[in-house]
Amino acid sequence: MRHSPRAKWQLRLMNVSFVVLFLVAVGLLQWLAREYHLQFDWTQARRHSLSPASVAVIERLKEPLKITAFASSRGETRRVIQDMVTRYQKYKPDIQIEFVNPDTAPEKARAAGILGEGELVLEYGDAKENLPPTQINEENFTNALTRLGHRGERWVIFLSGHGERSPDKQANFDLSTWAAQMRKRGFKTKTLSLGEHPQIPQNTTVLVIAGPRTRLLPGEVKEIQNHLDRGGNLLWLHDPGPLYGLEPLAESLGIEFLPGVIVDPFSAKLVGDDTAIVAGTYGRHPIVRNFFDVTLFPHTGGISLNTPEGWQGSTLIDTRESSWLETGPLGGKMQFDKGRDIRGPLNLAVALAHDNEEKREQRVVVFSGGDFLANSYIANASNLDLGMSLVNWL
């Protein structure tokens, strides 16, 4: 087919126009990439992007954020941490990250309260928080930033005056190791005797009842109930045995503490103690959602929950089917007695939540034993991580 001179000229003009437009488009794309650093995330599950909730949190932080990552140069830990932080730096360029090798700088690691390879120290203004390596993911990192952004003081008040576990004393039974880690992460801890100061302070973030060993007065129990009625949060670490006057509190929460102490032959093979429960599977609650390591629960009981109306109840930790509640004497060779003992699986801990009149979620956690956070046991397995996850959620 032959083209006229006019048609040839039009075809040549179209080719030239196409080349010019193509070059302009390429130049425009290069300029956009240089000026705005656009990156499109087409990976499965958008693993290079942040959720809208995370973006909203990071954009509310107006001051610089400093991250110190305690990770050796071996392995993939540094790369994993850097990849996650880079996602946040896209929205907040003034995030600074420094890597410290805990093997070559042990003094700096000790001063920062570092307990494991890959732990992060986040500093925002005058607030500081450690993020354990087992919690390094977008959800936990964003939650930590949310807490850092709220400058208000967070008071964890421990009930005292009845032989409770103390956040200040150093006995094996007490909770001073856990409390010290809380203070390093920006929490403030204090004991409160209702016999001396009959009202729980309004600025109490969490009230902790940790294993009283003498009976509470009716007025003290009523003030604890008032704290709940006002929308206050509660952590109740009940050791197997009497309730010491706290029966009305258990009833209002739909809690029944089952008689006896849990024994588990499987756990006994691991730790040499029938009454020390090794937990390796957890519920779906945010407190334990990202837990994969084992935790150790010495001398614990079982809980039955009848969730009160208007609340949402969740099981945090169950025992194995091989376990049971031993209602007879402990010691020697124990065996399940049908008709008297209660066969597992059994609930070790439950969480309750509901929205109060202030549109803020009220939160309660109840454990059937407090030894797992005691000075003697908190360094075992992931017990400290669980303790920090507890107080963070509450």
Side-chain angles (χ1 to χ4, degrees):
M1 179 178 178
R2 298 188 63 178
H3 297 284
S4 65
R6 180 180 177 83
K8 289 181 180 180
W9 181 85
Q10 289 178 334
L11 183 61
R12 188 177 297 111
L13 180 62
M14 290 173 59
N15 289 337
V16 171
S17 299
F18 174 79
V19 172
V20 170
L21 289 173
F22 177 76
L23 292 174
V24 169
V26 170
L28 182 60
L29 286 173
Q30 288 178 337
W31 177 79
L32 285 171
R34 184 174 63 254
E35 293 296 319
Y36 294 100
H37 306 284
L38 293 178
Q39 180 174 343
F40 298 95
D41 185 4
W42 293 333
T43 59
Q44 186 178 8
R46 295 172 57 86
R47 61 180 178 268
H48 296 313
S49 301
L50 292 181
S51 67
S54 294
V55 173
V57 168
I58 199 70
E59 289 179 344
R60 284 198 294 267
L61 300 179
K62 303 305 181 184
E63 299 180 36
L65 173 68
K66 179 181 178 182
I67 303 171
T68 306
F70 288 83
S72 65
S73 55
R74 304 185 305 273
E76 293 290 301
T77 304
R78 289 194 177 192
R79 183 189 62 78
V80 171
I81 293 172
Q82 183 64 70
D83 286 349
M84 185 190 71
V85 172
T86 298
R87 292 156 59 195
Y88 287 82
Q89 288 174 322
K90 293 174 186 175
Y91 300 93
K92 185 173 175 60
D94 60 355
I95 295 179
Q96 302 173 1
I97 182 167
E98 175 190 2
F99 286 95
V100 175
N101 189 337
D103 298 329
T104 57
E107 298 86 0
K108 194 169 184 177
R110 281 194 297 270
I114 300 303
L115 298 175
E117 163 79 7
E119 187 166 347
L120 305 183
V121 178
L122 311 179
E123 297 178 70
Y124 180 73
D126 57 359
K128 181 185 295 186
E129 181 165 336
N130 287 36
L131 195 64
T134 56
Q135 298 184 23
I136 296 178
N137 55 49
E138 181 181 340
E139 179 181 2
N140 289 322
F141 191 82
T142 296
N143 286 340
L145 297 184
T146 301
R147 292 189 294 271
L148 289 171
H150 293 154
R151 294 302 188 86
E153 294 181 337
R154 296 171 293 169
W155 283 98
V156 182
I157 304 298
F158 289 77
L159 189 69
S160 66
H162 318 88
E164 293 91 347
R165 303 173 188 269
S166 169
D168 304 317
K169 298 178 181 179
Q170 308 299 318
N172 292 341
F173 169 86
D174 290 315
L175 306 173
S176 57
T177 302
W178 180 44
Q181 291 298 321
M182 279 194 269
R183 289 190 290 270
K184 286 182 179 180
R185 288 158 171 80
F187 293 95
K188 296 181 181 295
T189 64
K190 187 176 182 179
T191 57
L192 172 69
S193 173
L194 291 175
E196 299 177 8
H197 305 282
Q199 188 171 18
I200 298 170
Q202 296 284 341
N203 65 342
T204 298
T205 308
V206 184
L207 175 67
V208 181
I209 304 175
R213 291 184 284 183
T214 60
R215 190 172 184 84
L216 278 71
L217 299 173
E220 294 176 310
V221 178
K222 184 177 180 181
E223 176 56 21
I224 294 171
Q225 191 63 58
N226 289 340
H227 169 73
L228 284 179
D229 293 342
R230 294 192 297 264
N233 298 333
L234 172 69
L235 172 60
W236 188 0
L237 305 173
H238 171 73
D239 294 316
L243 286 173
Y244 296 113
L246 290 170
E247 289 86 353
L249 179 63
E251 183 177 355
S252 69
L253 294 172
I255 296 289
E256 180 185 358
F257 295 101
L258 304 177
V261 174
I262 299 177
V263 300
D264 182 11
F266 179 88
S267 296
K269 294 178 181 178
L270 299 176
V271 295
D273 184 350
D274 288 310
T275 64
I277 307 304
V278 177
T281 57
Y282 307 91
R284 298 182 179 180
H285 192 273
I287 292 175
V288 292
R289 183 179 297 153
N290 296 300
F291 269 74
F292 304 103
D293 296 331
V294 299
T295 41
L296 179 67
F297 296 90
H299 197 77
T300 186
I303 295 177
S304 175
L305 174 63
N306 182 16
T307 306
E309 184 178 355
W311 291 75
Q312 298 86 45
S314 303
T315 297
L316 299 182
I317 305 165
D318 275 334
T319 65
R320 298 176 181 83
E321 294 183 357
S322 59
S323 65
W324 71 84
L325 270 167
E326 178 60 52
T327 56
L330 300 177
K333 184 174 178 58
M334 290 180 287
Q335 61 182 16
F336 177 75
D337 295 318
K338 189 176 181 180
R340 188 177 70 175
D341 297 333
I342 302 174
R343 174 69 74 183
L346 300 154
N347 292 347
L348 297 181
V350 296
L352 293 157
H354 88 112
D355 293 330
N356 59 25
E357 294 179 356
E358 299 176 357
K359 305 301 181 183
R360 178 180 60 83
E361 188 174 69
Q362 181 181 9
R363 297 176 172 184
V364 174
V365 176
V366 182
F367 272 80
S368 55
D371 273 336
F372 77 102
L373 290 177
N375 294 335
S376 289
Y377 297 103
I378 194 167
N380 286 275
S382 293
N383 285 26
L384 178 57
D385 288 347
L386 178 58
M388 296 314 304
S389 185
L390 268 173
V391 74
N392 283 336
W393 184 76
L394 286 166

